[in-house]
Amino acid sequence: MRSLDRRALLAGLATLPMAGPARAALPEGRLGKLVASYPDHLADVIEDMLVWRDGARMAIGADRPPRGFEEMLRSATIADQLRQTYERGPPAGAPPRDQSPGRLRNTAFFVKMYGDCTKGAVTPRMRPVAWLPRTTRQMVQLTEVNGVATRMESIVGQLDRLPDRLKAFLVPSAGTYNCRAVADTGVASMHGYGAAIDINVAHSDYWAWANRRGAIAYRNRIPFEIVEIFEAADFIWGGKWYHFDTMHFEYRPEMFA
Ligand SMILES: [Zn+2]
């Protein structure tokens, strides 16, 4: 090979993105999906940086070595947040160990988008939404960021037309906004951003209530007709998590394939 060709080849290689086993583990197209999911906030991905519309940049962390699921739960990078994909459709039984798409969340990412509830920055962006107004008088509070409150009104309109046997799973809602860390991880949940809702706790199942000896025994009573309506509006369901939480739905458009 002539030296000029070799130099041209090396120059070409230098512009390729960093490759490695950790980076390869991030499913194809997930970063593009992330940017497209939050058009009000995100502008681009440049190398390993997420670029926000206000010019801010955040490290994605795609090149860092892989870590265990428990460690990622406590300190997820933006790349970790995208490692698993949420699949629409009827659940295929109990999720495999640590298959919990959406449980990994990068705190800095969501605080920048929705505000820090511990500093009172989330509640000013919330507004009340009537929870099944044809059925009950309950109001719930949801953020207007990313149109979450408006999206919930569209969901509510569909849920309110379901038969009474299905509405029993929905009413009353066990709540939306709650500025409190998740017990087992110490990290804020989507309830702290006003972008999540719990349906009727009386017909729900939660991993921490199940027998903790050995593997978690999966249990769910929520009919898929309910889940389907939320999924169509880009809300993910906690019933598809290994650490299942079947009353829980949160707005996470970036998690879908
Ligand atoms: Zn919840």
Side-chain angles (χ1 to χ4, degrees):
M1 187 187 289
R2 290 190 297 129
S3 65
L4 192 65
D5 291 344
R6 181 183 291 273
R7 250 182 287 140
L9 180 66
L10 288 173
L13 284 174
T15 63
L16 288 174
M18 298 258 293
R23 182 154 194 132
L26 200 58
E28 189 66 32
R30 297 311 313 277
L31 288 169
K33 174 70 178 171
L34 176 69
V35 173
S37 294
Y38 298 106
D40 294 348
H41 302 273
L42 304 179
D44 203 358
V45 169
I46 298 176
E47 292 175 357
D48 195 43
M49 301 297 277
L50 183 62
V51 183
W52 294 66
R53 292 213 172 271
D54 66 2
R57 292 181 174 223
M58 282 185 181
I60 292 165
D63 299 326
R64 293 186 202 160
R67 298 182 297 156
F69 192 79
E70 291 299 319
E71 196 185 339
M72 288 195 289
L73 267 179
R74 283 167 184 79
S75 60
T77 62
I78 290 170
D80 293 339
Q81 189 175 307
L82 303 172
R83 288 192 195 286
Q84 298 184 343
T85 304
Y86 184 96
E87 304 286 347
R88 289 178 213 271
R97 177 154 192 112
D98 292 339
Q99 177 64 25
S100 300
R103 271 202 95 205
L104 298 174
R105 299 178 201 90
N106 178 261
T107 301
F109 175 87
F110 287 107
V111 163
K112 177 161 177 58
M113 198 170 275
Y114 292 107
D116 184 344
C117 69
T118 66
K119 294 177 180 160
V122 172
T123 49
R125 304 179 201 188
M126 298 198 306
R127 69 172 171 86
V129 171
W131 181 242
L132 277 65
R134 289 165 63 169
T135 311
T136 184
R137 288 170 169 269
Q138 187 177 10
M139 302 296 289
V140 294
Q141 299 284 332
L142 288 148
T143 185
E144 293 190 289
V145 176
N146 295 322
V148 171
T150 304
R151 291 172 200 281
M152 186 63 77
E153 281 167 341
S154 165
I155 292 169
V156 161
Q158 295 172 70
L159 296 176
D160 224 354
R161 288 194 288 272
L162 291 174
D164 287 347
R165 69 176 173 85
L166 293 177
K167 285 183 187 175
F169 293 92
L170 300 165
V171 175
S173 160
T176 52
Y177 176 69
N178 187 346
C179 184
R180 196 173 60 195
V182 179
D184 66 317
T185 66
V187 175
S189 83
M190 292 307 288
H191 288 288
Y193 306 113
I197 190 164
D198 291 335
I199 59 174
N200 186 0
V201 67
H203 304 294
S204 299
D205 294 282
Y206 181 53
W207 69 273
W209 300 337
N211 189 340
R212 298 282 310 270
R213 276 175 295 180
I216 295 170
Y218 181 76
R219 181 172 155 85
N220 169 51
R221 289 169 282 163
I222 306 298
F224 184 67
E225 291 100 311
I226 289 170
V227 176
E228 192 172 30
I229 290 170
F230 280 97
E231 287 184 350
D234 286 345
F235 280 69
I236 63 170
W237 175 47
K240 289 187 178 174
W241 295 344
Y242 175 72
H243 294 89
F244 58 92
D245 182 359
T246 72
M247 77 185 100
H248 180 91
F249 294 90
E250 63 184 53
Y251 181 64
R252 296 290 300 283
E254 82 279 18
M255 294 308 301
F256 292 88

